[in-house]
Amino acid sequence: MPRRVRTNRLQRNHNRNRPNRCRCLFFICVAALVILFMPEVYREWKRSQQLDYEEMEREFKIYVYKDRDLDKHYLLPRQITRNALKVDMFFKNLKESRFYTEDDDEAHLFLIPIETHRMQGESFEKMASLVQDHVEGLISRYKYWNRTQGADHFFVNCHEIGVIATKGLPLLEKAIQVVCASRNALEFMPHKDIVLPAEELQPNMVNDINRFGDFCSCNVAPFHAACITEAILEGCVPVVSLSNHDVPFSDTLDWTKFSAIVSSKKDYFTATGIEGENFTKLHDNLKKVQKHFKWNSPPVKFDAFHMIMYKLWMRTHY
C-alpha cells in the first residue's frame, strides 16, 4: 500500500474517533466537577445520580384509594393549621402536587388512606377492627394489591391506633410504613419504612429539647423525630445517635456534617467540645439542610414533603 494512502486512512480513522473521545472527555470533566462541588451533606452520589430528583418530579405518580368507608369515623378539621399533625399536611400536600394521579395505570405506588389519628370510637381495639375491615375490603375489591402482594403500597401512621390495627393485618407487612416515629410502626425496617419529619411540638412536649449553648439534644423517645426537626429549624445543632431509627433521611443526608454524633443516649447531656471552625462548618451545613425539614402549603421543591416523595421514589427502584 502506498505510504500516502495508508497515512490518509489512518488520519481519517483518527478524525472519526475524535468526536467520541471529546464526548467522553466532556462527560468525565462534568462528572468530576459535580463530585467536586456537590454539597457534602448528601450521601450516596451514585444512587442519587441514577435516581435523579428531576426524573422523580417528572414521572413519579401516586394513586390514592378512593374508597372512604371510614369517613364517618373521622373528625375532619375545617382547615390545616400550624398545630395540625404532619400526616394531615402530607395528605394535603399530596393532593396539591403533581405526584397525585387518578389514573391507576400510571401509578408507581398506591396509598391506603388510614388516618387513624383522627378517628373516634369506643376503644382502640374497636377502631383497629374498623381499620382492618377497611383495608381487607380494599384489597378484596381492587386489583392493585395482587401485583406485588402489597410491596407497591404504603400508608401513613402517626398514632398508636395504627400500630394496634396493623398487628392484626399481616397483609400489610410488605407495605411501606411512613411514620412520625419508629414506635408508630408495627416493626420498623429502615430499608423499607420512612420517618416523617414532624414539627410544631405540642405544649406538653416543651421539655423535649434540651439546649446547652449552640447544641440541642432530644432524648425523649416518643417525640424524638419531632424534637430533632424543631432543633434544626431553630438553627440549633442537634446531638443525635445514628443508631436511632427516628433520625429522618439518614440514608440521604450525612448527619455527621451538620450534627454532633454521640454513641449512646447517656451522652446527650455531655459537652460536645466542638467549637471554632469545626462548629462553624457544622452550623453552615445545618442551614443548607433546613429546607428539607420544612413543610409548606402548597409544597415547594426540596422541602419535607418532596424529601418524603424522593424516599418513596427510591423504594420503587430497589
Side-chain angles (χ1 to χ4, degrees):
M1 179 183 296
R3 182 179 179 86
R4 182 182 300 277
V5 173
R6 184 170 180 269
T7 300
N8 290 340
R9 183 174 297 172
L10 289 174
Q11 185 65 37
R12 285 198 302 273
N13 290 338
H14 177 75
N15 291 338
R16 189 181 299 119
N17 292 331
R18 182 178 297 173
N20 291 332
R21 291 172 183 163
C22 293
R23 193 174 297 115
C24 290
L25 274 174
F26 171 77
F27 285 119
I28 290 173
C29 290
V30 169
L33 287 172
V34 168
I35 294 173
L36 180 62
F37 293 105
M38 190 80 74
E40 59 180 3
V41 294
Y42 301 96
R43 288 187 183 278
E44 303 184 16
W45 300 126
K46 290 183 179 179
R47 179 184 296 173
S48 295
Q49 292 168 4
Q50 293 169 359
L51 308 179
D52 183 69
Y53 183 95
E54 299 296 335
E55 181 184 0
M56 180 269 292
E57 286 205 325
R58 287 195 311 271
E59 300 184 6
F60 193 29
K61 298 295 180 183
I62 293 175
Y63 179 85
V64 181
Y65 280 98
K66 299 183 184 306
D67 192 311
R68 300 301 299 272
D69 292 337
L70 292 179
D71 276 353
K72 60 185 177 181
H73 300 284
Y74 287 153
L75 293 172
L76 300 176
R78 292 184 178 179
Q79 62 181 359
I80 299 297
T81 66
R82 288 181 60 85
N83 293 324
L85 291 174
K86 291 310 161 192
V87 63
D88 288 323
M89 183 64 83
F90 177 86
F91 280 110
K92 185 174 187 292
N93 278 183
L94 180 58
K95 291 294 183 69
E96 296 174 338
S97 74
R98 68 181 68 184
F99 304 115
Y100 177 76
T101 180
E102 295 187 352
D103 182 357
D104 55 273
D105 288 330
E106 70 174 6
H108 298 87
L109 286 179
F110 296 83
L111 171 60
I112 301 175
I114 309 174
E115 300 173 65
T116 54
H117 66 288
R118 286 157 58 193
M119 292 182 66
Q120 58 179 342
E122 297 179 359
S123 66
F124 278 7
E125 288 72 19
K126 174 64 175 177
M127 289 184 277
S129 177
L130 290 169
V131 172
Q132 291 171 18
D133 292 343
H134 172 61
V135 174
E136 289 174 346
L138 291 178
I139 292 172
S140 65
R141 289 196 298 273
Y142 293 95
K143 61 182 180 179
Y144 322 125
W145 186 269
N146 294 328
R147 301 193 313 183
T148 61
Q149 296 302 305
D152 60 355
H153 283 57
F154 75 100
F155 61 96
V156 183
N157 177 38
C158 288
H159 198 283
E160 188 177 355
I161 299 171
V163 180
I164 297 172
T166 52
K167 280 183 179 178
L169 281 171
L171 287 172
L172 286 177
E173 289 180 357
K174 290 186 178 181
I176 301 167
Q177 300 179 89
V178 179
V179 297
C180 288
S182 58
R183 68 190 291 270
N184 298 132
L186 176 60
E187 182 180 352
F188 190 84
M189 300 181 182
H191 67 280
K192 174 177 72 73
D193 302 324
I194 299 170
V195 174
L196 189 81
E199 60 174 291
E200 301 298 336
L201 297 180
Q202 301 301 313
N204 63 338
M205 305 179 195
V206 293
N207 294 323
D208 287 351
I209 297 181
N210 302 287
R211 187 158 191 158
F212 46 100
D214 297 306
F215 296 88
C216 289
S217 66
C218 303
N219 68 322
V220 181
F223 315 114
H224 193 264
C227 176
I228 291 176
T229 300
E230 286 292 312
I232 290 173
L233 293 176
E234 289 183 11
C236 187
V237 175
V239 181
V240 301
S241 170
L242 295 185
S243 62
N244 191 317
H245 292 322
D246 291 342
V247 177
F249 314 135
S250 59
D251 58 349
T252 305
L253 302 178
D254 187 349
W255 283 74
T256 65
K257 304 299 184 182
F258 60 91
S259 63
I261 308 301
V262 295
S263 57
S264 64
K265 290 183 179 179
K266 66 180 181 180
D267 298 326
Y268 277 14
F269 294 101
T270 62
T272 62
I274 301 175
E275 56 185 14
E277 184 177 340
N278 291 331
F279 171 78
T280 300
K281 194 170 186 179
L282 281 181
H283 197 261
D284 287 346
N285 286 334
L286 180 70
K287 290 187 287 187
K288 293 177 183 177
V289 301
Q290 282 178 322
K291 61 185 177 183
H292 301 315
F293 294 85
K294 183 67 177 175
W295 290 87
N296 301 282
S297 181
V300 299
K301 198 169 184 176
F302 299 117
D303 67 359
F305 171 75
H306 282 82
M307 290 291 283
I308 294 295
M309 288 293 101
Y310 185 63
K311 288 181 72 68
L312 287 170
W313 170 252
M314 290 170 67
R315 298 297 188 262
T316 68
H317 287 71
Y318 280 158

